[in-house]
Each structure stands twice: as C-alpha cells, then as structure tokens.
Amino acid sequence: MAATMPPSIAIRHPCDTPAMPSPASLPAYLDAVPASQRALLETIRAAARAAAPDAEEALYYGMPALRVGRRWLVAYAAFSAHCSLFPLGGALLDAMADELGRWRTSKGTLRMTAADPMPAALIAAVVRARIAEVAAADAARREARRRSSGSSPAARSEEHTSELQSQS
C-alpha cells in the first residue's frame, strides 16, 4: 500500500497562498483584501475597467474578473506577497513578451508587488489586447459556422426564391 502525505503536511510556496478564503461576492473579495495589497489591487482594477468600460465585473474561480458577454477577459487576485493579473487565454503574453518581461512568471500569470507595480497603461494595454483577441476568436467562430452551413445567406435566399418560383 502506498503511503500518502496528510493534507496538513502538504508543501506549498508561501507566495501561492491566497490572501483570504474564496469570497461570496466581488465586494466581499475587495473588502477582505489586506491593506498591504489593496492599493495595488485597486490600481489593477481601475486600469482594467478603464480599458474595458463595457465589461461586467464578476467572480471567476473566486477571483475578481472582467467579461464581455460570456467571454472572460482578465482576472486579478491578491496573494500574501503579491497581486496577479491573469489574461485568460491565447498567445497574448507571448505577443507582448518584451513589454511584460519582468512581471511574467508563468504561462498565464503576470505577478507584481507594491514595490514593483505594473504601470496602469501596460495593464490597460493587456486588457485591450485581450478584447481584440476575443473579438478575433468570435469572428473566426462566426465565419466557421457560416462556412459549415453550406452557403451564404444570400445564396440560400436565392435558392429559396427559385424554389418558390418553380412551385408556382
């Protein structure tokens, strides 16, 4: 029988520990953020909201996030030693690698501290790039659907008109 490690002994990096338990609402999350992280989190939030004024704020896996319709743009969170911005998808971080270099810590995370915050203009650029990425993906999806339907709406309309004329 294989030995298992009790959950109380599980090894975790202190920076990966959330600053608080998962909240029930966005205001509850923001109210519970420790003062040491609150100013930085508010900077991230304000820059993201300014770049996406039509986006809705909601919780995404317990983190504050912005979405347009059903498509998530970015999420952000406070941790015990830093705050993170999560552009939720695509090759955005690779495309902006030069600008994001020192804040990028993993495949989908931009990590910053109060001592080394990401400029609000750069946060806004990430959000705008994510909006463009979502719009391009939606357009590609619509085009693929249109192609898979067999013909264009105009061609289907002409076919329908021809059928009606042949029936008379």
Side-chain angles (χ1 to χ4, degrees):
M1 179 185 271
T4 59
M5 186 178 290
S8 61
I9 301 176
I11 300 169
R12 298 190 77 179
H13 191 279
C15 289
D16 294 334
T17 305
M20 64 215 156
S22 188
S25 68
L26 183 61
Y29 185 98
L30 297 172
D31 289 344
V33 172
S36 62
Q37 304 294 72
R38 186 171 292 128
L40 181 56
L41 198 68
E42 287 294 341
T43 299
I44 295 169
R45 181 183 186 209
R49 294 283 302 144
D54 297 331
E56 172 190 2
E57 285 187 297
L59 291 177
Y60 176 83
Y61 290 100
M63 299 179 291
L66 296 177
R67 69 179 174 195
V68 175
R70 294 179 2 193
R71 302 294 305 269
W72 294 99
L73 299 175
V74 296
Y76 50 95
F79 294 87
S80 58
H82 68 278
C83 289
S84 290
L85 175 65
F86 304 95
L88 300 171
L92 172 81
L93 295 179
D94 290 335
M96 297 180 72
D98 291 340
E99 298 97 332
L100 301 173
R102 76 176 191 253
W103 295 286
R104 186 172 181 185
T105 58
S106 66
K107 183 177 178 182
T109 304
L110 299 169
R111 187 178 287 186
M112 62 205 86
T113 64
D116 186 24
M118 182 182 294
L122 187 53
I123 294 168
V126 167
V127 174
R128 284 190 300 272
R130 183 70 182 119
I131 291 168
E133 188 175 58
V134 166
D138 287 348
R141 194 174 292 116
R142 282 191 303 274
E143 178 63 20
R145 242 184 269 132
R146 185 191 65 76
R147 277 196 221 134
S148 69
S149 68
S151 60
S152 69
R156 286 193 302 272
S157 178
E158 287 176 21
E159 290 170 12
H160 182 69
T161 303
S162 297
E163 277 182 34
L164 291 176
Q165 289 175 348
S166 67
Q167 291 175 358
S168 358

